[in-house]
Amino acid sequence: MSRATLGWIVLGWIGYAVLPWYGFDRAVAPTLSEFVIGRSGLVLGLKGAWWLLPILLPLLMLLRPALRPDGALLARWLTGAGILGLLLILIQGFSIGLNGWTLDGLKAFFGEPGPRQAGMGYGAALTAASFLILLCHGLAARGWCRGDTFVTSSIGVVVALIIVFVFFPVSTILASAFGDDRGNFAPSLFIAKFTDRSIWGLDCLTGDLRCGVAWNTLFLGILVAFGTTALGLAFALIATRTTFRFKKLLRVMSVLPIITPPFVIGLALILLFGRSGALSAILYEWFGIPRSRWIYGLPGVFISQLLAFTPIAFLVLIGVVQGISPTLEEASQTLRAKSWTTFVTVTLPLMRPGLANAFLLGFVESLADFGNPLVLGGNYEVLSTKIFFAVVGAQQDQGRAAVLSIILLGFTLGAFWLQHAWLGKKVYTTVTGKGDAGIPLPLPRRVALASYLTAIPWALFTIVIYAIILVGGFVRSMGRDYTPTLDHFLTAFRVERAEWGLYFSGSAWNSFFATVKVAALSAPLTAAIGLLTAYLLTRQRFSGQRAFEFGTLLSFAIPGTVVGVSYILAFNVPPIEITGTGFILVMCFVFRNMPVGVRSGIATLSQIDKSLDEASLTLGARSFTTMRRIVLPLLRPAIVASLVYSFVRAMTAVSAVIFLVTAEYNMATTYIVGRVEAGEFGLAIAYSTVLIVVMLLAIVAIQFAVGERRLGRRSATASTAPLAVQATP
Amino acid sequence: MTLKKNFFVTTMLASAATAVSFLSAGAAQAQGALVMYCGVQEEWCRAMTTAFERETGIKVSMTRKSSGEIYAQVKAEAANPRADIWWGGTGDPHMQAAEENLTVDYKSPKLAELQDWAVRQWEQSKNKTVGIYSGALGFGYNTELIKSKGIEPKCWADLLDPKLKDEVQVADPNSSGTSYTLLATIIQLMGEDKGFEYLKALHKNINQYTKSGAAPAKAMALGETTVGIAFMHDIVTMVVDKAPVKVVAPCEGTGYEIGSMSIIKGAKNMDSAKKFYDWALTPDAQKLGAEAKSYQVPSNKNTPVPPQAPKLSEIKLINFDFAKYGSSDERKRLLSKWDNEVKNLPK
């Protein structure tokens, strides 16, 4: 038996017999004796919480392999104890709630109200984790995954986390799609809601009526996915394959939108293109083009989503473009193919995983986007805003929200399936251990031209948008009164010097600190879990892999509002009672943003030849060591991408957290939404500017900490000048 | 080498720190604490919080959200309530919560000092929610843009003028309580059939059904629309902000909202909640609204009405039937009727 197994057995006992089993009443700080042993599961169990005592049995079972380590039945004891332990914890957790029995059957049988218990605490969490890991160790010992405990444990942990933080809350809310207002089962109501004409109507094709919201969403999603993939590709090609002089600037420009809080791009577009916007005024005065409201509706949402999501496509594609080995292209040219032919028949097909992933992300992001349609949607309705207002609007119909979420989920999963079908089983490996010339071929002229023609105007447009945002924070009232002022910043971020030190009296500090803390904690967790999952998906073969992959995408596909409400429904009551804490915010972000880590990890990993890992394994390294020393260094672009993305997302997400924030953990975005609602655009923009600066600094720091990937002599970035901000290698 | 170490060390540290710093943090439950969900503007919420803390020494944890969001959250948290008091925000969700038994009944000693409409709200909700302020529905127009149209709307009927085609903005009643108030007002003014005829005619002049109720007021101030229908106090805020906007109280009469306050059922700090409830009905507390640039009409008779506030006495108010139009069945019926008969019409 390995030392790790023994260690986990000890931890399991510590969780049960030493640490407090339940969470604490938050206002009452525990004394040391309460914290150690005094309120452990064992002690409470002996004092009357009899439902905790059966857990002793699997823990005792674990002692047998611990005492006679070389027994042949080791695997069986570990698996048995693991399964039994997890089951017991689950059963007692879900059947006994805050107010007694949770199931009507139990109430009827044992009488009401029955025993009560609070949410689980450190002890319960540790014991459950130990049962889970030991179960995985047991399975490995029985020969699963070639007996590799690291792999089985990783799979076990990721699956358990996804079940707890994705499937459990999501199924709670989706169940409400099949119920009426009072929680009774009503499938006919579901069908009525599902087939509603406001969802599926096709009236816009035949007359000037409106089409159903589902078609709107789908149409917008496909447009945005095409647009972002094309723009992202143009930027990626310019950044890696040309000698363009302002590459760094281009990169900064392409990354800015991703770090912009929601609403701000929408506001800037209104201030630019709205009926009284700056550009509309110029067009009217110079060319006599009448002012109109064209920006409200599909065009506005499309432009703002392009601005917002092109960077994601860029982040995915640049890793892929950069990873393409010049060898194949050189071979093609040696065989006398023209550079255009080479590009179309060699380079482009090799980018397929990247293109497919970028497309998928663009599509899914557009579907889940909430801020832009809210500000610019006009009468063009999409599912995400519909869902939000089904929950909070005048109808207050949670069942309807659930039905709409199911449709949204269906679209996302359809896209996921299509992507798989398109990629097929082809091989895209280009990073191998073999040497190559290392210098990528220049782009064929028309591709270069096309890239320049799309990327440069777009970059200029982005500059204009950001100029407006920058100015907006420093003038009294954008669009009406351009007197320069620092008032907005002072209101939000005033710092006073009191006798006892600095006093942060600005109204935004509170939410600012909470946001930075939550973002900084969730980013590394997201990257770690995301990349681990990507590694398991591409490098390991196990049954249920597709289901596993699907599970990781699920939380991304579900709109933030639904996630927010479902987290409250699921985590406000025992056994897992974490609402009102910062922990729930961190978990929400980790599992919402993890798919980006997974996607970019998969895109990068599918390029790296397995023979590299195999060489390492053949030389005797364990898979953990292989991952650490071979895979991770090659994954740097993906690490940066997922760290940056999750940090940024945690700072800019709105709809998911709007239900999860509390007075103590208020988030910057909910504060900004409040400002926008109150019409204080100046303050909102000023706060957003500060957030943008913070995120830029964080990106530089991440870049600096992770470092660049070096592949042979292929240079990732032409120069090593550290001043430019690169969200990518 | 440094990379992966950094990476793993960071990850480990982060996980540890997350676990330690968060599991024990959260809402306050000690004596002398109060968790408040606040449904009005941030400044006002803050002013109320600090004033109450100063007055009583009770520590207030305040979260500001829109009233629809608060309702959704209170409902989701019903099994294990986090909040003690829900202060402010339009009356409908409060009524809804009362109907669904999410809030508790309470009779404040200050009840006698309140205006009739505030007490009526309390009676209609079976003592579960009380009016704290009210604001009339109206519309406004951008004084610069209206010049080219050659019309000065004064009544609801004026908004049907073809000169205002594509120039009127109002929220979608499905998403905004403000706009639902408009729907109910028009029906009570004109009767259901005539009312829907009016809304259909108005549809031709609507350029956008916004999501949020106050959005038309902002769009008007920015010049994005000429006419905006909203609560008058929201439009007044724009006027005070020196936007070229004029407020109109429609000549036919108009409906109003009653901003309300309820105590959450199962509140963990019931005593503090009641203390706050009583205090929030005093003139001293209600004065804070105007100081925070919110110009609703306060519910205590002794509170000075802010000079900028639209005078309820000068506005023709209809006898708004909150019980009927606040009930969820009637609301669902009217909203789906509006969806089918008005919203989907061609322009």
mmCIF file of all heavy atoms in Angstrom, chain A residues 25-26 208-209 275-276 293 296 379 381 394 572 628 658 664-665 675 677, chain B residues 4 22 26 29 42 64-65 80 82 174 208-209 218 222 224 331 343-344:
data_model
loop_
_atom_site.group_PDB
_atom_site.id
_atom_site.type_symbol
_atom_site.label_atom_id
_atom_site.label_comp_id
_atom_site.label_asym_id
_atom_site.label_seq_id
_atom_site.Cartn_x
_atom_site.Cartn_y
_atom_site.Cartn_z
ATOM 1 N N ASP A 25 -22.084 28.513 13.287
ATOM 2 C CA ASP A 25 -22.914 29.686 13.287
ATOM 3 C C ASP A 25 -21.947 30.845 13.129
ATOM 4 O O ASP A 25 -21.001 30.970 13.890
ATOM 5 C CB ASP A 25 -23.627 29.796 14.642
ATOM 6 C CG ASP A 25 -25.037 30.268 14.437
ATOM 7 O OD1 ASP A 25 -25.349 30.649 13.301
ATOM 8 O OD2 ASP A 25 -25.805 30.240 15.406
ATOM 9 N N ARG A 26 -22.189 31.673 12.089
ATOM 10 C CA ARG A 26 -21.077 32.520 11.679
ATOM 11 C C ARG A 26 -20.675 33.582 12.686
ATOM 12 O O ARG A 26 -19.535 33.983 12.754
ATOM 13 C CB ARG A 26 -21.427 33.193 10.361
ATOM 14 C CG ARG A 26 -21.263 32.267 9.215
ATOM 15 C CD ARG A 26 -22.555 32.130 8.532
ATOM 16 N NE ARG A 26 -22.530 31.048 7.555
ATOM 17 C CZ ARG A 26 -23.438 30.915 6.619
ATOM 18 N NH1 ARG A 26 -24.401 31.793 6.530
ATOM 19 N NH2 ARG A 26 -23.413 29.918 5.810
ATOM 20 N N ASP A 208 -44.208 41.127 -41.193
ATOM 21 C CA ASP A 208 -43.294 41.913 -40.379
ATOM 22 C C ASP A 208 -43.547 41.700 -38.885
ATOM 23 O O ASP A 208 -43.312 42.562 -38.069
ATOM 24 C CB ASP A 208 -43.348 43.399 -40.755
ATOM 25 C CG ASP A 208 -44.759 43.927 -40.734
ATOM 26 O OD1 ASP A 208 -45.679 43.116 -40.499
ATOM 27 O OD2 ASP A 208 -44.940 45.128 -40.957
ATOM 28 N N LEU A 209 -44.013 40.519 -38.572
ATOM 29 C CA LEU A 209 -44.142 40.164 -37.161
ATOM 30 C C LEU A 209 -42.782 39.706 -36.654
ATOM 31 O O LEU A 209 -41.832 39.567 -37.417
ATOM 32 C CB LEU A 209 -45.162 39.047 -37.003
ATOM 33 C CG LEU A 209 -46.605 39.467 -37.246
ATOM 34 C CD1 LEU A 209 -47.497 38.260 -37.285
ATOM 35 C CD2 LEU A 209 -47.042 40.412 -36.155
ATOM 36 N N ARG A 275 -28.890 57.688 -31.252
ATOM 37 C CA ARG A 275 -29.477 58.740 -32.056
ATOM 38 C C ARG A 275 -28.825 60.081 -31.782
ATOM 39 O O ARG A 275 -28.715 60.924 -32.656
ATOM 40 C CB ARG A 275 -30.975 58.826 -31.798
ATOM 41 C CG ARG A 275 -31.671 59.417 -32.987
ATOM 42 C CD ARG A 275 -33.111 59.144 -32.922
ATOM 43 N NE ARG A 275 -33.676 59.835 -31.775
ATOM 44 C CZ ARG A 275 -34.938 60.173 -31.702
ATOM 45 N NH1 ARG A 275 -35.747 59.893 -32.680
ATOM 46 N NH2 ARG A 275 -35.401 60.773 -30.636
ATOM 47 N N SER A 276 -28.389 60.272 -30.531
ATOM 48 C CA SER A 276 -27.695 61.522 -30.249
ATOM 49 C C SER A 276 -26.206 61.264 -30.035
ATOM 50 O O SER A 276 -25.522 62.043 -29.402
ATOM 51 C CB SER A 276 -28.307 62.186 -29.020
ATOM 52 O OG SER A 276 -28.380 61.248 -27.978
ATOM 53 N N ARG A 293 -32.253 54.909 -34.990
ATOM 54 C CA ARG A 293 -32.055 54.056 -33.821
ATOM 55 C C ARG A 293 -31.609 52.670 -34.235
ATOM 56 O O ARG A 293 -31.929 51.688 -33.590
ATOM 57 C CB ARG A 293 -33.361 53.986 -33.028
ATOM 58 C CG ARG A 293 -33.895 55.334 -32.599
ATOM 59 C CD ARG A 293 -35.246 55.192 -31.943
ATOM 60 N NE ARG A 293 -35.280 54.014 -31.105
ATOM 61 C CZ ARG A 293 -34.885 53.990 -29.847
ATOM 62 N NH1 ARG A 293 -34.470 55.078 -29.293
ATOM 63 N NH2 ARG A 293 -34.930 52.889 -29.170
ATOM 64 N N TYR A 296 -30.053 49.878 -31.822
ATOM 65 C CA TYR A 296 -30.837 49.067 -30.880
ATOM 66 C C TYR A 296 -31.435 47.877 -31.598
ATOM 67 O O TYR A 296 -32.307 48.038 -32.445
ATOM 68 C CB TYR A 296 -31.947 49.906 -30.251
ATOM 69 C CG TYR A 296 -31.429 51.061 -29.476
ATOM 70 C CD1 TYR A 296 -31.344 52.318 -30.039
ATOM 71 C CD2 TYR A 296 -30.979 50.886 -28.174
ATOM 72 C CE1 TYR A 296 -30.842 53.387 -29.334
ATOM 73 C CE2 TYR A 296 -30.476 51.941 -27.459
ATOM 74 C CZ TYR A 296 -30.414 53.194 -28.045
ATOM 75 O OH TYR A 296 -29.908 54.242 -27.333
ATOM 76 N N ASN A 379 -35.796 45.767 -29.433
ATOM 77 C CA ASN A 379 -36.898 44.814 -29.490
ATOM 78 C C ASN A 379 -36.452 43.444 -29.962
ATOM 79 O O ASN A 379 -37.270 42.584 -30.254
ATOM 80 C CB ASN A 379 -37.989 45.351 -30.413
ATOM 81 C CG ASN A 379 -38.614 46.607 -29.817
ATOM 82 O OD1 ASN A 379 -38.684 46.743 -28.602
ATOM 83 N ND2 ASN A 379 -39.024 47.503 -30.670
ATOM 84 N N GLU A 381 -35.230 40.197 -28.989
ATOM 85 C CA GLU A 381 -35.120 39.489 -27.721
ATOM 86 C C GLU A 381 -34.316 38.212 -27.869
ATOM 87 O O GLU A 381 -34.403 37.527 -28.880
ATOM 88 C CB GLU A 381 -36.512 39.148 -27.210
ATOM 89 C CG GLU A 381 -37.258 40.383 -26.771
ATOM 90 C CD GLU A 381 -38.530 40.029 -26.055
ATOM 91 O OE1 GLU A 381 -39.264 39.191 -26.584
ATOM 92 O OE2 GLU A 381 -38.773 40.594 -24.986
ATOM 93 N N ALA A 394 -41.998 40.953 -14.066
ATOM 94 C CA ALA A 394 -43.339 41.037 -13.503
ATOM 95 C C ALA A 394 -44.047 39.682 -13.497
ATOM 96 O O ALA A 394 -44.972 39.470 -12.732
ATOM 97 C CB ALA A 394 -44.164 42.058 -14.282
ATOM 98 N N ASN A 572 -28.531 26.653 -0.172
ATOM 99 C CA ASN A 572 -28.989 27.465 0.956
ATOM 100 C C ASN A 572 -29.391 26.600 2.144
ATOM 101 O O ASN A 572 -29.599 27.090 3.228
ATOM 102 C CB ASN A 572 -30.171 28.339 0.519
ATOM 103 C CG ASN A 572 -30.503 29.380 1.549
ATOM 104 O OD1 ASN A 572 -29.614 29.985 2.131
ATOM 105 N ND2 ASN A 572 -31.771 29.564 1.800
ATOM 106 N N ARG A 628 3.625 17.051 -14.876
ATOM 107 C CA ARG A 628 4.313 18.195 -14.308
ATOM 108 C C ARG A 628 5.486 18.645 -15.202
ATOM 109 O O ARG A 628 5.717 19.825 -15.392
ATOM 110 C CB ARG A 628 4.848 17.810 -12.932
ATOM 111 C CG ARG A 628 4.860 18.895 -11.899
ATOM 112 C CD ARG A 628 5.031 18.265 -10.526
ATOM 113 N NE ARG A 628 6.217 17.408 -10.483
ATOM 114 C CZ ARG A 628 7.397 17.806 -9.977
ATOM 115 N NH1 ARG A 628 7.543 19.013 -9.516
ATOM 116 N NH2 ARG A 628 8.405 16.977 -9.954
ATOM 117 N N ILE A 658 -25.562 37.970 -9.387
ATOM 118 C CA ILE A 658 -26.496 38.971 -8.898
ATOM 119 C C ILE A 658 -27.338 38.417 -7.749
ATOM 120 O O ILE A 658 -27.759 39.138 -6.852
ATOM 121 C CB ILE A 658 -27.350 39.502 -10.069
ATOM 122 C CG1 ILE A 658 -27.543 40.996 -9.941
ATOM 123 C CG2 ILE A 658 -28.669 38.792 -10.182
ATOM 124 C CD1 ILE A 658 -27.862 41.666 -11.236
ATOM 125 N N GLU A 664 -21.581 41.596 2.611
ATOM 126 C CA GLU A 664 -20.159 41.410 2.890
ATOM 127 C C GLU A 664 -19.377 41.125 1.613
ATOM 128 O O GLU A 664 -18.269 41.597 1.426
ATOM 129 C CB GLU A 664 -20.001 40.259 3.877
ATOM 130 C CG GLU A 664 -18.703 40.279 4.594
ATOM 131 C CD GLU A 664 -18.632 39.146 5.589
ATOM 132 O OE1 GLU A 664 -19.699 38.604 5.958
ATOM 133 O OE2 GLU A 664 -17.540 38.774 5.970
ATOM 134 N N TYR A 665 -19.965 40.300 0.756
ATOM 135 C CA TYR A 665 -19.304 39.983 -0.502
ATOM 136 C C TYR A 665 -20.094 40.568 -1.664
ATOM 137 O O TYR A 665 -20.755 39.859 -2.384
ATOM 138 C CB TYR A 665 -19.139 38.469 -0.657
ATOM 139 C CG TYR A 665 -18.079 37.935 0.248
ATOM 140 C CD1 TYR A 665 -18.387 37.325 1.441
ATOM 141 C CD2 TYR A 665 -16.737 38.091 -0.103
ATOM 142 C CE1 TYR A 665 -17.397 36.875 2.286
ATOM 143 C CE2 TYR A 665 -15.753 37.643 0.734
ATOM 144 C CZ TYR A 665 -16.083 37.036 1.931
ATOM 145 O OH TYR A 665 -15.097 36.596 2.753
ATOM 146 N N ARG A 675 -25.282 51.368 -10.585
ATOM 147 C CA ARG A 675 -24.981 52.729 -11.070
ATOM 148 C C ARG A 675 -25.644 52.972 -12.420
ATOM 149 O O ARG A 675 -26.177 54.031 -12.691
ATOM 150 C CB ARG A 675 -23.474 52.946 -11.220
ATOM 151 C CG ARG A 675 -22.626 52.673 -10.010
ATOM 152 C CD ARG A 675 -22.849 53.648 -8.924
ATOM 153 N NE ARG A 675 -24.092 53.349 -8.246
ATOM 154 C CZ ARG A 675 -24.655 54.092 -7.340
ATOM 155 N NH1 ARG A 675 -24.097 55.205 -6.979
ATOM 156 N NH2 ARG A 675 -25.774 53.749 -6.781
ATOM 157 N N GLU A 677 -28.260 51.503 -13.622
ATOM 158 C CA GLU A 677 -29.701 51.605 -13.413
ATOM 159 C C GLU A 677 -30.088 52.988 -12.926
ATOM 160 O O GLU A 677 -31.122 53.525 -13.288
ATOM 161 C CB GLU A 677 -30.157 50.570 -12.376
ATOM 162 C CG GLU A 677 -30.565 49.253 -12.995
ATOM 163 C CD GLU A 677 -30.919 48.238 -11.923
ATOM 164 O OE1 GLU A 677 -30.998 48.597 -10.738
ATOM 165 O OE2 GLU A 677 -31.100 47.077 -12.296
ATOM 166 N N LYS B 4 6.008 25.074 -13.172
ATOM 167 C CA LYS B 4 5.055 24.141 -12.582
ATOM 168 C C LYS B 4 5.037 24.270 -11.079
ATOM 169 O O LYS B 4 4.016 24.150 -10.443
ATOM 170 C CB LYS B 4 5.383 22.712 -13.010
ATOM 171 C CG LYS B 4 6.778 22.347 -12.756
ATOM 172 C CD LYS B 4 7.353 21.575 -13.924
ATOM 173 C CE LYS B 4 8.845 21.535 -13.711
ATOM 174 N NZ LYS B 4 9.580 20.838 -14.679
ATOM 175 N N PHE B 22 -13.236 31.476 3.875
ATOM 176 C CA PHE B 22 -14.631 31.680 3.523
ATOM 177 C C PHE B 22 -15.627 30.901 4.359
ATOM 178 O O PHE B 22 -16.680 31.391 4.679
ATOM 179 C CB PHE B 22 -14.855 31.336 2.064
ATOM 180 C CG PHE B 22 -14.385 32.419 1.165
ATOM 181 C CD1 PHE B 22 -13.587 32.147 0.099
ATOM 182 C CD2 PHE B 22 -14.760 33.719 1.425
ATOM 183 C CE1 PHE B 22 -13.155 33.158 -0.725
ATOM 184 C CE2 PHE B 22 -14.335 34.732 0.605
ATOM 185 C CZ PHE B 22 -13.532 34.445 -0.466
ATOM 186 N N GLY B 26 -19.687 35.186 6.627
ATOM 187 C CA GLY B 26 -21.047 35.223 6.107
ATOM 188 C C GLY B 26 -21.935 36.207 6.823
ATOM 189 O O GLY B 26 -21.467 37.151 7.440
ATOM 190 N N GLN B 29 -25.448 37.179 12.441
ATOM 191 C CA GLN B 29 -26.637 36.716 13.137
ATOM 192 C C GLN B 29 -26.619 37.096 14.611
ATOM 193 O O GLN B 29 -27.506 36.725 15.363
ATOM 194 C CB GLN B 29 -26.743 35.194 13.036
ATOM 195 C CG GLN B 29 -27.224 34.742 11.666
ATOM 196 C CD GLN B 29 -27.238 33.256 11.558
ATOM 197 O OE1 GLN B 29 -27.110 32.574 12.564
ATOM 198 N NE2 GLN B 29 -27.399 32.743 10.370
ATOM 199 N N GLU B 42 -29.028 53.146 -4.642
ATOM 200 C CA GLU B 42 -27.897 52.925 -3.743
ATOM 201 C C GLU B 42 -27.731 54.016 -2.672
ATOM 202 O O GLU B 42 -27.609 53.717 -1.490
ATOM 203 C CB GLU B 42 -26.627 52.801 -4.581
ATOM 204 C CG GLU B 42 -25.359 52.614 -3.781
ATOM 205 C CD GLU B 42 -24.982 51.157 -3.622
ATOM 206 O OE1 GLU B 42 -25.537 50.314 -4.350
ATOM 207 O OE2 GLU B 42 -24.144 50.863 -2.759
ATOM 208 N N ARG B 64 -28.213 45.826 -2.050
ATOM 209 C CA ARG B 64 -29.138 46.528 -2.930
ATOM 210 C C ARG B 64 -29.404 45.718 -4.188
ATOM 211 O O ARG B 64 -28.482 45.239 -4.835
ATOM 212 C CB ARG B 64 -28.571 47.878 -3.330
ATOM 213 C CG ARG B 64 -29.610 48.831 -3.853
ATOM 214 C CD ARG B 64 -29.089 49.655 -4.999
ATOM 215 N NE ARG B 64 -29.128 48.895 -6.216
ATOM 216 C CZ ARG B 64 -30.182 48.868 -7.035
ATOM 217 N NH1 ARG B 64 -31.257 49.559 -6.750
ATOM 218 N NH2 ARG B 64 -30.169 48.146 -8.123
ATOM 219 N N LYS B 65 -30.652 45.531 -4.504
ATOM 220 C CA LYS B 65 -31.029 44.833 -5.731
ATOM 221 C C LYS B 65 -32.323 45.436 -6.231
ATOM 222 O O LYS B 65 -32.991 46.155 -5.502
ATOM 223 C CB LYS B 65 -31.270 43.347 -5.451
ATOM 224 C CG LYS B 65 -30.012 42.584 -5.144
ATOM 225 C CD LYS B 65 -30.306 41.118 -5.016
ATOM 226 C CE LYS B 65 -29.032 40.359 -4.858
ATOM 227 N NZ LYS B 65 -28.793 39.819 -3.574
ATOM 228 N N ASN B 80 -34.613 28.704 4.245
ATOM 229 C CA ASN B 80 -33.626 29.094 5.240
ATOM 230 C C ASN B 80 -33.314 30.570 5.022
ATOM 231 O O ASN B 80 -32.288 30.911 4.456
ATOM 232 C CB ASN B 80 -32.360 28.236 5.055
ATOM 233 C CG ASN B 80 -31.348 28.475 6.156
ATOM 234 O OD1 ASN B 80 -31.648 29.099 7.176
ATOM 235 N ND2 ASN B 80 -30.135 28.003 5.934
ATOM 236 N N ARG B 82 -32.277 34.349 4.705
ATOM 237 C CA ARG B 82 -31.027 35.045 5.037
ATOM 238 C C ARG B 82 -31.313 36.466 5.466
ATOM 239 O O ARG B 82 -30.555 37.048 6.206
ATOM 240 C CB ARG B 82 -30.122 35.081 3.816
ATOM 241 C CG ARG B 82 -29.706 33.730 3.339
ATOM 242 C CD ARG B 82 -28.636 33.187 4.227
ATOM 243 N NE ARG B 82 -28.482 31.759 4.045
ATOM 244 C CZ ARG B 82 -27.661 31.015 4.756
ATOM 245 N NH1 ARG B 82 -26.925 31.563 5.682
ATOM 246 N NH2 ARG B 82 -27.572 29.728 4.553
ATOM 247 N N ASN B 174 -43.665 42.726 -19.104
ATOM 248 C CA ASN B 174 -43.223 41.412 -18.641
ATOM 249 C C ASN B 174 -41.998 41.505 -17.763
ATOM 250 O O ASN B 174 -41.758 40.643 -16.936
ATOM 251 C CB ASN B 174 -42.886 40.522 -19.840
ATOM 252 C CG ASN B 174 -44.128 40.003 -20.498
ATOM 253 O OD1 ASN B 174 -44.966 39.404 -19.852
ATOM 254 N ND2 ASN B 174 -44.254 40.260 -21.783
ATOM 255 N N GLN B 208 -39.249 51.286 -28.724
ATOM 256 C CA GLN B 208 -38.606 50.172 -28.038
ATOM 257 C C GLN B 208 -39.290 49.897 -26.714
ATOM 258 O O GLN B 208 -39.613 50.818 -25.967
ATOM 259 C CB GLN B 208 -37.133 50.508 -27.772
ATOM 260 C CG GLN B 208 -36.365 49.353 -27.183
ATOM 261 C CD GLN B 208 -34.956 49.742 -26.792
ATOM 262 O OE1 GLN B 208 -34.453 50.791 -27.193
ATOM 263 N NE2 GLN B 208 -34.309 48.915 -26.010
ATOM 264 N N TYR B 209 -39.531 48.619 -26.438
ATOM 265 C CA TYR B 209 -39.948 48.218 -25.102
ATOM 266 C C TYR B 209 -38.685 47.866 -24.337
ATOM 267 O O TYR B 209 -38.068 46.835 -24.583
ATOM 268 C CB TYR B 209 -40.886 47.014 -25.171
ATOM 269 C CG TYR B 209 -42.237 47.331 -25.789
ATOM 270 C CD1 TYR B 209 -42.541 46.923 -27.069
ATOM 271 C CD2 TYR B 209 -43.181 48.043 -25.069
ATOM 272 C CE1 TYR B 209 -43.771 47.213 -27.639
ATOM 273 C CE2 TYR B 209 -44.420 48.343 -25.637
ATOM 274 C CZ TYR B 209 -44.709 47.928 -26.914
ATOM 275 O OH TYR B 209 -45.919 48.223 -27.462
ATOM 276 N N LYS B 218 -33.916 57.668 -18.754
ATOM 277 C CA LYS B 218 -32.515 57.910 -19.097
ATOM 278 C C LYS B 218 -32.350 58.155 -20.594
ATOM 279 O O LYS B 218 -31.627 59.044 -21.021
ATOM 280 C CB LYS B 218 -31.684 56.698 -18.690
ATOM 281 C CG LYS B 218 -31.092 56.827 -17.319
ATOM 282 C CD LYS B 218 -30.575 55.478 -16.841
ATOM 283 C CE LYS B 218 -31.649 54.778 -16.038
ATOM 284 N NZ LYS B 218 -31.399 53.355 -15.893
ATOM 285 N N LEU B 222 -30.751 61.408 -22.564
ATOM 286 C CA LEU B 222 -29.645 61.334 -23.516
ATOM 287 C C LEU B 222 -30.073 61.718 -24.925
ATOM 288 O O LEU B 222 -29.236 61.828 -25.811
ATOM 289 C CB LEU B 222 -29.092 59.908 -23.548
ATOM 290 C CG LEU B 222 -28.117 59.508 -22.456
ATOM 291 C CD1 LEU B 222 -27.814 58.037 -22.555
ATOM 292 C CD2 LEU B 222 -26.834 60.313 -22.564
ATOM 293 N N GLU B 224 -32.112 59.834 -26.779
ATOM 294 C CA GLU B 224 -32.307 58.644 -27.590
ATOM 295 C C GLU B 224 -33.783 58.442 -27.941
ATOM 296 O O GLU B 224 -34.110 57.714 -28.852
ATOM 297 C CB GLU B 224 -31.767 57.412 -26.870
ATOM 298 C CG GLU B 224 -30.264 57.415 -26.684
ATOM 299 C CD GLU B 224 -29.512 57.322 -27.999
ATOM 300 O OE1 GLU B 224 -29.855 56.476 -28.830
ATOM 301 O OE2 GLU B 224 -28.594 58.128 -28.200
ATOM 302 N N ARG B 331 -52.500 39.168 -13.087
ATOM 303 C CA ARG B 331 -51.294 39.666 -13.726
ATOM 304 C C ARG B 331 -50.906 38.756 -14.901
ATOM 305 O O ARG B 331 -50.621 39.221 -16.000
ATOM 306 C CB ARG B 331 -50.150 39.713 -12.713
ATOM 307 C CG ARG B 331 -48.935 40.445 -13.232
ATOM 308 C CD ARG B 331 -47.642 39.957 -12.644
ATOM 309 N NE ARG B 331 -47.756 39.607 -11.256
ATOM 310 C CZ ARG B 331 -47.438 40.424 -10.268
ATOM 311 N NH1 ARG B 331 -47.010 41.630 -10.543
ATOM 312 N NH2 ARG B 331 -47.538 40.038 -9.024
ATOM 313 N N LYS B 343 -47.922 43.148 -28.294
ATOM 314 C CA LYS B 343 -46.488 43.128 -28.557
ATOM 315 C C LYS B 343 -46.163 42.554 -29.930
ATOM 316 O O LYS B 343 -45.205 42.969 -30.578
ATOM 317 C CB LYS B 343 -45.785 42.313 -27.480
ATOM 318 C CG LYS B 343 -44.298 42.544 -27.471
ATOM 319 C CD LYS B 343 -43.643 41.677 -26.438
ATOM 320 C CE LYS B 343 -42.171 41.941 -26.418
ATOM 321 N NZ LYS B 343 -41.503 41.007 -25.519
ATOM 322 N N ASN B 344 -46.952 41.591 -30.375
ATOM 323 C CA ASN B 344 -46.634 40.933 -31.633
ATOM 324 C C ASN B 344 -47.212 41.627 -32.854
ATOM 325 O O ASN B 344 -47.065 41.158 -33.974
ATOM 326 C CB ASN B 344 -47.115 39.484 -31.602
ATOM 327 C CG ASN B 344 -46.126 38.619 -30.859
ATOM 328 O OD1 ASN B 344 -44.918 38.866 -30.927
ATOM 329 N ND2 ASN B 344 -46.617 37.635 -30.138
#
